[in-house]
Amino acid sequence: MSTTQSERLRGLLEPLVSAKDLDLEEIEVSRAGRRRMLRIIVDSDEGVELDACAELSRAISDKLDETDAMGDEEYVLEVSSPGADRPLTEHRHYVRATGRLVKFQLHESGDLVARILSVDDEGLDLEVPGVKGRKPTARRVTFGDIAKARVEIEFNRKDKKEEEA
């Protein structure tokens, strides 16, 4: 997708997404056979429910029908939330991942798997799980130290709502 088309779509769609109290994370246009695929990724601090994606999809579809932003070719519109394997790249991504286990690739010291305890403007306070019965340890990582970060899927972790009950 050309930068100008991407910028035009972002300018056109961001107000619609913001009106639903969501963040526009990504716009992707790709080929799917003869058709094009327009994938819109949205998120919020509380997550995104299916009904919100459906409502937003209808609003985006109506807006795109009013304009020539997608040209004359057919396209398929998909509005969804980011997958669990999405890389953490923005400050808000780390805030939303607070309490989650994350795999970090650090510039200087390799890989690290730790739970995010808190996030501030400079970096993260982490809890590194103990190995073989040892207690977890605290660690501070600045954003500048992080090359890549991705949430680790935990199948046996209790939900926050379960812990509060």
Side-chain angles (χ1 to χ4, degrees):
M1 177 169 65
S2 70
T3 305
T4 52
Q5 184 184 24
S6 176
E7 290 169 358
R8 183 170 181 208
L9 284 170
R10 183 167 288 278
L12 191 65
L13 303 180
E14 198 138 34
L16 296 174
V17 174
S18 296
K20 302 282 186 192
D21 293 325
L22 298 171
D23 296 318
L24 180 57
E25 294 290 344
E26 187 177 336
I27 297 174
E28 177 187 321
V29 177
S30 59
R31 281 262 172 226
R34 293 189 330 253
R35 296 183 186 174
R36 291 178 298 160
M37 171 73 94
L38 173 58
R39 183 171 288 124
I40 310 293
I41 307 295
V42 296
D43 202 3
S44 79
D45 291 342
E46 294 79 33
V48 183
E49 294 185 4
L50 187 58
D51 290 342
C53 284
E55 287 176 29
L56 184 58
S57 179
R58 285 188 290 274
I60 289 173
S61 180
D62 291 345
K63 188 64 156 180
L64 292 174
D65 287 348
E66 294 172 6
T67 69
D68 66 343
M70 289 300 293
D72 294 331
E73 290 182 65
E74 291 183 17
Y75 66 93
V76 175
L77 173 62
E78 178 184 303
V79 177
S80 67
S81 61
D85 63 343
R86 172 199 55 192
L88 305 177
T89 57
E90 303 284 336
H91 184 273
R92 68 178 177 266
H93 298 165
Y94 291 99
V95 171
R96 291 173 184 159
T98 299
R100 306 284 307 269
L101 198 62
V102 175
K103 181 176 183 179
F104 296 92
Q105 287 182 347
L106 304 176
H107 291 293
E108 300 294 321
S109 55
D111 290 351
L112 169 69
V113 176
R115 191 168 308 282
I116 298 176
L117 298 176
S118 64
V119 181
D120 59 35
D121 291 340
E122 286 80 41
L124 315 166
D125 290 317
L126 306 173
E127 178 184 74
V128 181
V131 179
K132 296 184 182 177
R134 294 187 180 141
K135 291 186 176 184
T137 57
R139 180 158 178 190
R140 175 80 179 166
V141 174
T142 65
F143 289 116
D145 295 335
I146 301 170
K148 293 181 183 178
R150 190 177 303 267
V151 170
E152 289 282 287
I153 305 300
E154 296 178 86
F155 293 105
N156 59 351
R157 182 169 179 259
K158 288 185 178 179
D159 189 2
K160 288 180 186 179
K161 293 176 186 171
E162 290 178 30
E163 292 174 1
E164 292 170 1

